[in-house]
Amino acid sequence: MRSRATAYPLVAVLGWGVMFPILASALDRVDPLNLTTARYLLAAVVLVAILLLREGAGALRHGGRALEVVVLGVVGFAGFNLLTNLALEHAAPQQISLFVATTPVITQLVRWARDGVRPKPLLLGLSLVALLGVGLVITRGSLAGLGQFGLGGLMMIGAVLGWGIYTHGASRFGEWSPLRFTTLTALAGTAAMLVLSIGADAVGWQHAPAAADLVAVAPQLAYAVLVGAVIAVLAWNTGVQRLGAANAALFMNLVPVTTFAVQIARGYRPQPVELVGAAITIAALIAANLAARPRATALPRPSAVTDPIAVTDPEAVSSR
């Protein structure tokens, strides 16, 4: 059953890995805030329709957890997606995807801050190694490239922190279906995006897209809505419930691999130092996640097959 559960986060991260180059191409016609808002307005309609068909109108109630749902929706959906789209204006998709791969480490740090579960020193050390790898990709091994980190990198640090909080929060809603949790948090996040977009349009920070612009990016928007915002997020939250936040977060290491593959297929030729940096980041993050996972406690071996205490006593099968 556990091996089947891994299919959910795998579907999510592959979908997201392809999505970054797709979103980057759409930003040529539509501003980041408006693109994100349009994407989640459509996705919210789809999610609500599915939830009503599957679980009924009662599933739209927050069950006394409205504040928590709103915070997670704003931080996870609005924060992550808005900051990611803004960062794509300042950095290449393959660079952005490497920041997303730091989610496993960020999730552990969030768990430390909220639950008091302190990560091992090895985890923090490997986190620094992972950031070194990100730096090699962004700067291409040259100190002159440090300026490329800039605003885009800072935005992605905030975006990944928001998604780490969201991922940890999803693990606390085990009594809700992944569909319900996804839908209600998406509604909260979409409302926040809509307010920000209207405000940004009003002050002239960005401009509402014309109908021709939306038609031009319709293929990208369709993928971002159906795959990136509906299928991938539902799969991700299902994986978090079945595997736990820390184990599911491990799959985020596949995001940059997918994005690099897409970019190379589109004609991008990475320099050797970029590939080295990507390999360092992915290896360090995988090692960090494995180091953070608790070791399974071996069950005591019964002295005989007929020993009733060894077989039936619940103390003999203790949890970790």
Side-chain angles (χ1 to χ4, degrees):
M1 290 296 292
R2 192 174 183 84
S3 60
R4 293 181 182 178
T6 61
Y8 292 102
L10 182 62
V11 166
V13 299
L14 291 178
W16 288 330
V18 174
M19 186 178 65
F20 289 115
I22 290 175
L23 286 177
S25 66
L27 291 173
D28 294 335
R29 296 294 297 265
V30 182
D31 291 315
L33 294 183
N34 284 324
L35 179 64
T36 307
T37 301
R39 174 188 172 198
Y40 273 97
L41 280 173
L42 295 171
V45 171
V46 175
L47 288 169
V48 169
I50 297 174
L51 182 63
L52 291 175
L53 288 173
R54 293 289 301 273
E55 301 184 27
L60 290 172
R61 299 190 182 96
H62 294 88
R65 307 184 72 174
L67 179 60
E68 193 172 6
V69 167
V70 169
V71 171
L72 291 175
V74 171
V75 171
F77 273 97
F80 176 79
N81 289 287
L82 288 177
L83 288 173
T84 297
N85 277 1
L86 288 168
L88 282 168
E89 290 192 320
H90 302 275
Q94 63 270 19
Q95 297 172 355
I96 295 301
S97 67
L98 277 174
F99 280 99
V100 175
T102 62
T103 300
V105 173
I106 296 296
T107 302
Q108 291 295 328
L109 296 178
V110 169
R111 187 184 179 203
W112 181 16
R114 191 187 186 283
D115 300 336
V117 181
R118 186 173 184 174
K120 300 176 182 178
L122 177 61
L123 172 65
L124 300 179
L126 288 170
S127 302
L128 294 177
V129 174
L131 291 178
L132 173 64
V134 172
L136 287 176
V137 174
I138 292 177
T139 64
R140 297 183 179 180
S142 172
L143 292 178
L146 285 174
Q148 298 181 27
F149 180 86
L151 187 58
L154 293 176
M155 288 178 177
M156 281 311 300
I157 290 174
V160 173
L161 177 60
W163 193 252
I165 293 172
Y166 180 82
T167 296
H168 181 267
S171 65
R172 301 197 302 272
F173 283 76
E175 71 278 13
W176 287 17
S177 70
L179 174 60
R180 183 184 182 190
F181 177 77
T182 302
T183 302
L184 294 184
T185 52
L187 286 173
T190 301
M193 296 177 206
L194 185 59
V195 171
L196 287 174
S197 290
I198 292 174
D201 289 339
V203 301
W205 185 20
Q206 63 175 19
H207 303 285
D213 294 322
L214 292 176
V215 171
V217 301
Q220 296 98 312
L221 200 56
Y223 181 92
V225 169
L226 297 177
V227 178
V230 176
I231 295 174
V233 179
L234 281 173
W236 178 256
N237 287 332
T238 302
V240 169
Q241 281 198 1
R242 299 192 179 189
L243 297 174
N247 290 329
L250 173 62
F251 287 83
M252 295 298 281
N253 297 297
L254 295 176
V255 171
V257 176
T258 306
T259 301
F260 264 86
V262 171
Q263 290 293 83
I264 291 172
R266 297 177 64 194
Y268 178 73
R269 294 295 175 262
Q271 296 182 9
V273 68
E274 292 181 80
L275 297 177
V276 170
I280 290 174
T281 297
I282 294 169
L285 291 172
I286 290 176
N289 191 270
L290 292 176
R293 293 169 66 180
R295 296 178 180 274
T297 303
L299 299 179
R301 177 175 295 179
S303 56
V305 176
T306 57
D307 184 348
I309 297 179
V311 174
T312 63
D313 186 358
E315 293 296 324
V317 189
S318 59
S319 61
R320 66 175 184 272

